[in-house]
Amino acid sequence: MMVSFCQGALLLSLAASMAVYADMKVHCGPDFVTLMWTESRPQADTSLLRLGSCFPTSFSAGEAYFYVDLTDCNFRILVTGDVLLYSNDLTYVASDDSYNLAFTHPVACAYERPKDWYSSQQIYDPVFKTYGLGDLQFTIGLMNDDFSGPAEFTSYPLGSIIPIMASVVQKTHQPLLLLLEECVAATTPELHPESTMYPIISNKGCLLESVSSQSKFEPRQKSSEMRLSLQTFKFAMGEEVYIHCKLLAWDPNGLDSTKKACHFVKGHGWELLDDLAQSNLCDCCESKCKSRRQRSVASEKHGMVQKAVIGPFTITDVNS
């Protein structure tokens, strides 16, 4: 689907830290992008440049040229107020025998949002996802370093932190507590029996990654929101990665060993995010977490579960 714009485009200079050995010129057209990469390194192979999933339209010994539609090459789109932000990554895929290192540079174009543009036009956004369930609205997305806005990039070096935020909008409900019941990383946007998976949160709210890394739940700003600082792990390096989660909106007064948010704190052990005094609810994170309460239809009315997916993003090995 092509989107037409009446207003001009503004290039966002996200690649200000461009290396001195090359020059990149980007033009944001009404529904297309052109990019010219001029390379000064004599041994660089410009045919190995990629704009998202697209190969160069043309290339020579020192230049690579891209002319692509915004609907191609896996451009990401973020809607912020009256602005549509299209972003992508220019990458250099170094060959095994190359002296030139692989790199990634961000590319972005911002457009005024047309009055007749609506999110129902089904443009895929790997940064933020919104799901409706009854009169609840769940949102989960990749954030910038201080959680003040959406992520500008979706490529993360191994060992770096991926900030993730989930929230639930409560319309007619009494205040609800948002929990991440389960999260797994996978190489597919849908989970299948043959999907390669990596557990992140399991056992009804136990952040497994916090045991062996710097991953942790951040202090809540409000009960209907969760912030997760996830340290990248060695999984599907350089490939597209998706995180599949179960979001649970729950009664704040109904916490038990199956309705909780627990992370491992070095020197202290497992701690309950919402009440350190009840950290004994996390004791089962080393075994199997089961509710002591008899499950019933009445107890299910305390909350609602929504499946959600973040991605794709990539994890890169800076030492490879």
Side-chain angles (χ1 to χ4, degrees), residues 80-98:
T80 305
D82 294 328
V83 176
L84 297 178
L85 177 65
Y86 286 82
S87 63
N88 213 325
D89 294 309
L90 179 73
T91 58
Y92 182 78
V93 186
S95 58
D96 294 337
D97 57 350
S98 174

Side-chain angles (χ1 to χ4, degrees), residues 49-55 66 72-76 88-91:
L49 287 164
R50 303 287 184 268
L51 180 57
S53 59
C54 289
F55 289 73
F66 295 84
D72 294 334
C73 310
N74 291 332
F75 269 89
R76 304 176 292 273
N88 213 325
D89 294 309
L90 179 73
T91 58

Side-chain angles (χ1 to χ4, degrees), residues 218-238:
E218 298 292 348
R220 289 188 190 269
Q221 304 299 307
K222 47 188 174 182
S223 65
S224 59
E225 180 182 287
M226 279 206 76
R227 297 181 177 188
L228 168 63
S229 291
L230 179 66
Q231 187 173 29
T232 52
F233 39 85
K234 201 160 189 177
F235 174 77
M237 306 300 294

Side-chain angles (χ1 to χ4, degrees), residues 200-268:
I200 299 170
I201 299 174
S202 187
N203 213 356
K204 303 295 183 179
C206 301
L207 179 55
L208 304 181
E209 271 300 290
S210 62
V211 175
S212 57
S213 75
Q214 298 178 37
S215 298
K216 62 180 179 179
F217 291 124
E218 298 292 348
R220 289 188 190 269
Q221 304 299 307
K222 47 188 174 182
S223 65
S224 59
E225 180 182 287
M226 279 206 76
R227 297 181 177 188
L228 168 63
S229 291
L230 179 66
Q231 187 173 29
T232 52
F233 39 85
K234 201 160 189 177
F235 174 77
M237 306 300 294
E239 300 180 37
E240 290 189 340
V241 176
Y242 301 81
I243 295 181
H244 299 256
C245 293
K246 288 183 181 178
L247 310 181
L248 173 64
W250 194 250
D251 178 359
N253 299 315
L255 293 179
D256 63 23
S257 58
T258 63
K259 306 294 186 295
K260 64 189 187 304
C262 297
H263 56 188
F264 191 86
V265 179
K266 307 301 185 289
H268 295 274

Side-chain angles (χ1 to χ4, degrees), residues 266-287:
K266 307 301 185 289
H268 295 274
W270 288 97
E271 291 186 355
L272 185 68
L273 172 66
D274 296 294
D275 185 358
L276 288 177
Q278 296 189 66
S279 291
N280 62 303
L281 296 180
C282 303
D283 291 347
C284 62
C285 286
E286 299 289 347
S287 55

